Amino acid sequence: MALRYILKEDDKQLYKVSREVKNFDGRLHTLLDDMRETLLDADGVGLAAPQVGVLRRAVIVVDTNREELSPEEQIIELVNPVIVAVEGEQEGAEGCLSVPGVYGIVKRPEKVTVRAFDRFGNEFEVTGEGLTARAFCHEIDHLDGHIFKEFASRILTPEELDEMYGDDEDENAEDSVE
Ligand code: CO
Protein backbone atom coordinates (compact mmCIF):
# COMPACT_ATOMS: atom_id res chain seq x y z
CA MET A 1 0.00 0.00 0.00
CA ALA A 2 1.08 3.53 -0.59
CA LEU A 3 -0.09 7.01 0.21
CA ARG A 4 -1.30 8.87 -2.86
CA TYR A 5 -1.20 12.61 -3.39
CA ILE A 6 -4.60 14.28 -3.09
CA LEU A 7 -5.20 16.73 -5.95
CA LYS A 8 -6.21 20.24 -4.95
CA GLU A 9 -9.09 22.25 -6.37
CA ASP A 10 -7.07 24.00 -9.08
CA ASP A 11 -6.36 20.66 -10.78
CA LYS A 12 -8.38 20.14 -13.98
CA GLN A 13 -8.67 16.40 -13.36
CA LEU A 14 -11.18 17.09 -10.57
CA TYR A 15 -13.66 18.54 -13.07
CA LYS A 16 -13.70 15.60 -15.48
CA VAL A 17 -16.26 12.79 -15.55
CA SER A 18 -14.77 9.49 -14.39
CA ARG A 19 -15.22 6.30 -16.40
CA GLU A 20 -16.92 3.12 -15.28
CA VAL A 21 -14.73 0.41 -13.72
CA LYS A 22 -14.81 -2.65 -15.98
CA ASN A 23 -12.03 -4.79 -14.55
CA PHE A 24 -12.25 -5.88 -10.93
CA ASP A 25 -8.61 -6.83 -10.90
CA GLY A 26 -5.43 -6.35 -8.91
CA ARG A 27 -5.03 -2.84 -10.24
CA LEU A 28 -8.42 -1.83 -8.77
CA HIS A 29 -7.53 -3.53 -5.47
CA THR A 30 -4.24 -1.62 -5.26
CA LEU A 31 -6.07 1.63 -5.99
CA LEU A 32 -8.65 0.95 -3.25
CA ASP A 33 -5.96 -0.13 -0.77
CA ASP A 34 -4.01 3.05 -1.45
CA MET A 35 -7.15 5.16 -1.16
CA ARG A 36 -7.88 3.58 2.23
CA GLU A 37 -4.40 4.35 3.48
CA THR A 38 -4.57 7.89 2.10
CA LEU A 39 -7.99 8.56 3.67
CA LEU A 40 -6.99 7.25 7.10
CA ASP A 41 -3.78 9.28 6.95
CA ALA A 42 -5.75 12.44 6.08
CA ASP A 43 -8.35 11.65 8.77
CA GLY A 44 -11.20 12.22 6.33
CA VAL A 45 -14.69 10.78 5.88
CA GLY A 46 -14.46 9.92 2.19
CA LEU A 47 -12.26 9.91 -0.88
CA ALA A 48 -12.94 9.52 -4.60
CA ALA A 49 -10.52 8.01 -7.15
CA PRO A 50 -10.33 11.23 -9.23
CA GLN A 51 -9.00 13.01 -6.12
CA VAL A 52 -5.89 10.83 -6.42
CA GLY A 53 -5.73 11.38 -10.18
CA VAL A 54 -7.48 8.19 -11.32
CA LEU A 55 -10.56 8.95 -13.45
CA ARG A 56 -12.45 5.78 -12.55
CA ARG A 57 -15.78 5.45 -10.75
CA ALA A 58 -14.59 4.25 -7.35
CA VAL A 59 -15.05 5.92 -3.95
CA ILE A 60 -14.60 5.02 -0.32
CA VAL A 61 -16.69 6.36 2.55
CA VAL A 62 -16.36 5.97 6.30
CA ASP A 63 -19.63 4.66 7.73
CA THR A 64 -19.86 6.98 10.73
CA ASN A 65 -23.08 5.25 11.83
CA ARG A 66 -21.04 2.22 12.90
CA GLU A 67 -18.91 3.49 15.73
CA GLU A 68 -18.43 0.02 17.18
CA LEU A 69 -16.07 -0.81 14.30
CA SER A 70 -12.45 0.26 13.93
CA PRO A 71 -11.75 3.07 11.42
CA GLU A 72 -10.47 0.50 8.88
CA GLU A 73 -13.62 -1.62 9.26
CA GLN A 74 -15.88 1.41 8.86
CA ILE A 75 -14.67 2.06 5.33
CA ILE A 76 -17.15 1.13 2.60
CA GLU A 77 -15.80 0.64 -0.91
CA LEU A 78 -18.19 1.64 -3.67
CA VAL A 79 -17.34 0.81 -7.27
CA ASN A 80 -19.58 2.27 -10.01
CA PRO A 81 -21.93 3.66 -7.32
CA VAL A 82 -25.40 4.95 -8.18
CA ILE A 83 -27.81 6.66 -5.79
CA VAL A 84 -31.09 4.70 -5.94
CA ALA A 85 -33.12 6.29 -3.13
CA VAL A 86 -33.06 9.41 -0.99
CA GLU A 87 -35.14 10.52 1.97
CA GLY A 88 -35.42 13.71 4.02
CA GLU A 89 -33.07 16.65 4.05
CA GLN A 90 -30.13 17.97 6.04
CA GLU A 91 -28.31 21.27 5.82
CA GLY A 92 -24.85 21.64 7.26
CA ALA A 93 -21.18 22.35 6.85
CA GLU A 94 -19.23 20.33 4.33
CA GLY A 95 -15.54 20.29 3.43
CA CYS A 96 -13.21 18.42 1.07
CA LEU A 97 -9.66 17.08 1.25
CA SER A 98 -9.09 18.74 -2.14
CA VAL A 99 -10.14 22.12 -0.72
CA PRO A 100 -8.37 22.23 2.65
CA GLY A 101 -9.65 24.64 5.28
CA VAL A 102 -12.79 25.63 3.36
CA TYR A 103 -16.27 24.70 4.56
CA GLY A 104 -19.59 25.53 2.95
CA ILE A 105 -23.24 25.04 3.83
CA VAL A 106 -24.67 22.33 1.57
CA LYS A 107 -28.15 20.82 1.53
CA ARG A 108 -28.18 17.01 1.18
CA PRO A 109 -30.71 14.23 1.74
CA GLU A 110 -30.76 12.87 5.32
CA LYS A 111 -30.80 9.26 4.13
CA VAL A 112 -29.21 7.92 0.94
CA THR A 113 -29.23 4.41 -0.54
CA VAL A 114 -26.46 3.54 -2.99
CA ARG A 115 -26.21 0.55 -5.33
CA ALA A 116 -22.60 -0.33 -6.13
CA PHE A 117 -20.14 -3.16 -6.69
CA ASP A 118 -17.51 -4.33 -4.26
CA ARG A 119 -13.88 -4.81 -5.35
CA PHE A 120 -14.67 -8.33 -6.59
CA GLY A 121 -17.59 -7.24 -8.80
CA ASN A 122 -20.44 -8.29 -6.48
CA GLU A 123 -23.39 -5.91 -6.53
CA PHE A 124 -24.81 -4.65 -3.23
CA GLU A 125 -26.87 -1.86 -1.72
CA VAL A 126 -26.04 0.23 1.31
CA THR A 127 -27.98 2.95 3.14
CA GLY A 128 -26.33 5.75 5.07
CA GLU A 129 -27.77 8.45 7.29
CA GLY A 130 -26.50 11.84 8.41
CA LEU A 131 -22.81 12.37 7.72
CA THR A 132 -22.52 9.05 5.85
CA ALA A 133 -25.41 10.05 3.53
CA ARG A 134 -23.70 13.41 2.98
CA ALA A 135 -20.43 11.65 2.16
CA PHE A 136 -22.11 9.29 -0.36
CA CYS A 137 -23.45 12.33 -2.24
CA HIS A 138 -20.20 14.29 -1.98
CA GLU A 139 -18.01 11.43 -3.25
CA ILE A 140 -20.32 10.47 -6.10
CA ASP A 141 -20.34 14.15 -7.15
CA HIS A 142 -16.54 13.88 -7.50
CA LEU A 143 -17.05 11.08 -10.06
CA ASP A 144 -19.08 13.48 -12.18
CA GLY A 145 -16.47 16.23 -11.88
CA HIS A 146 -18.25 18.27 -9.22
CA ILE A 147 -16.86 19.89 -6.08
CA PHE A 148 -19.06 20.71 -3.07
CA LYS A 149 -18.42 24.44 -3.48
CA GLU A 150 -20.67 24.43 -6.56
CA PHE A 151 -23.60 23.38 -4.36
CA ALA A 152 -22.82 25.47 -1.29
CA SER A 153 -25.35 28.17 -0.43
CA ARG A 154 -22.44 30.00 1.19
CA ILE A 155 -18.90 29.49 2.44
CA LEU A 156 -18.25 29.75 6.17
CA THR A 157 -16.25 32.73 7.39
CA PRO A 158 -13.08 32.24 9.48
CA GLU A 159 -15.06 33.48 12.51
CA GLU A 160 -17.78 30.87 11.97
CA LEU A 161 -15.16 28.16 11.52
CA ASP A 162 -13.58 29.17 14.80
CA GLU A 163 -16.94 29.03 16.49
CA MET A 164 -17.85 25.64 15.04
CA TYR A 165 -14.57 23.86 15.41
CA GLY A 166 -12.76 26.01 17.93
CA ASP A 167 -9.70 24.30 19.33
CA ASP A 168 -11.22 20.85 19.35
CA GLU A 169 -9.45 18.92 16.59
CA ASP A 170 -11.57 15.79 16.99
CA GLU A 171 -14.77 17.65 16.40
CA ASN A 172 -13.28 19.03 13.22
CA ALA A 173 -12.70 15.54 11.86
CA GLU A 174 -16.25 14.52 12.76
CA ASP A 175 -17.90 17.23 10.73
CA SER A 176 -15.86 17.30 7.56
CA VAL A 177 -16.60 15.37 4.40
CA GLU A 178 -14.05 14.77 1.74
CO1 CO B 1 -14.26 15.98 -1.71
Side-chain angles (χ1 to χ4, degrees):
M1 295 214 285
L3 284 180
R4 301 225 185 173
Y5 177 73
I6 299 174
L7 303 182
K8 299 302 178 289
E9 66 171 321
D10 58 351
D11 200 301
K12 289 192 177 79
Q13 298 254 75
L14 289 174
Y15 304 95
K16 291 182 176 164
V17 177
S18 292
R19 284 164 298 163
E20 196 185 327
V21 171
K22 293 212 167 103
N23 301 314
F24 295 81
D25 54 8
R27 206 166 163 187
L28 173 69
H29 297 181
T30 302
L31 169 66
L32 290 167
D33 288 343
D34 289 355
M35 284 171 65
R36 283 173 165 270
E37 195 179 340
T38 304
L39 179 64
L40 290 170
D41 179 71
D43 203 15
V45 180
L47 187 67
Q51 287 183 280
V52 296
V54 178
L55 293 174
R56 288 287 174 185
R57 302 190 78 84
V59 308
I60 58 171
V61 167
V62 175
D63 187 352
T64 53
N65 301 138
R66 304 205 54 195
E67 281 176 348
E68 74 278 11
L69 301 177
S70 72
E72 287 84 2
E73 291 168 334
Q74 286 176 356
I75 293 177
I76 305 169
E77 299 175 352
L78 302 163
V79 180
N80 300 334
V82 179
I83 293 174
V84 292
V86 298
E87 215 181 292
E89 195 177 88
Q90 58 174 318
E91 194 171 32
E94 196 167 310
C96 179
L97 289 176
S98 293
V99 193
V102 176
Y103 293 85
I105 301 296
V106 183
K107 220 179 252 184
R108 300 286 193 186
E110 175 58 28
K111 203 166 159 184
V112 173
T113 301
V114 175
R115 185 179 299 150
F117 294 86
D118 68 14
R119 60 167 64 200
F120 304 105
N122 304 305
E123 199 172 23
F124 69 101
E125 274 189 21
V126 59
T127 299
E129 290 182 47
L131 183 56
T132 306
R134 181 178 285 283
F136 284 163
C137 298
H138 179 115
E139 301 314 329
I140 292 171
D141 283 344
H142 273 302
L143 301 182
D144 293 319
H146 297 300
I147 295 262
F148 80 99
K149 282 168 80 179
E150 299 169 41
F151 312 114
S153 56
R154 61 186 189 83
I155 299 296
L156 297 184
T157 63
E159 291 74 26
E160 285 175 309
L161 277 180
D162 255 12
E163 216 169 279
M164 276 182 65
Y165 302 123
D167 32 22
D168 188 342
E169 288 274 51
D170 288 345
E171 228 175 279
N172 194 341
E174 275 289 294
D175 289 3
S176 63
V177 176
E178 282 67 33

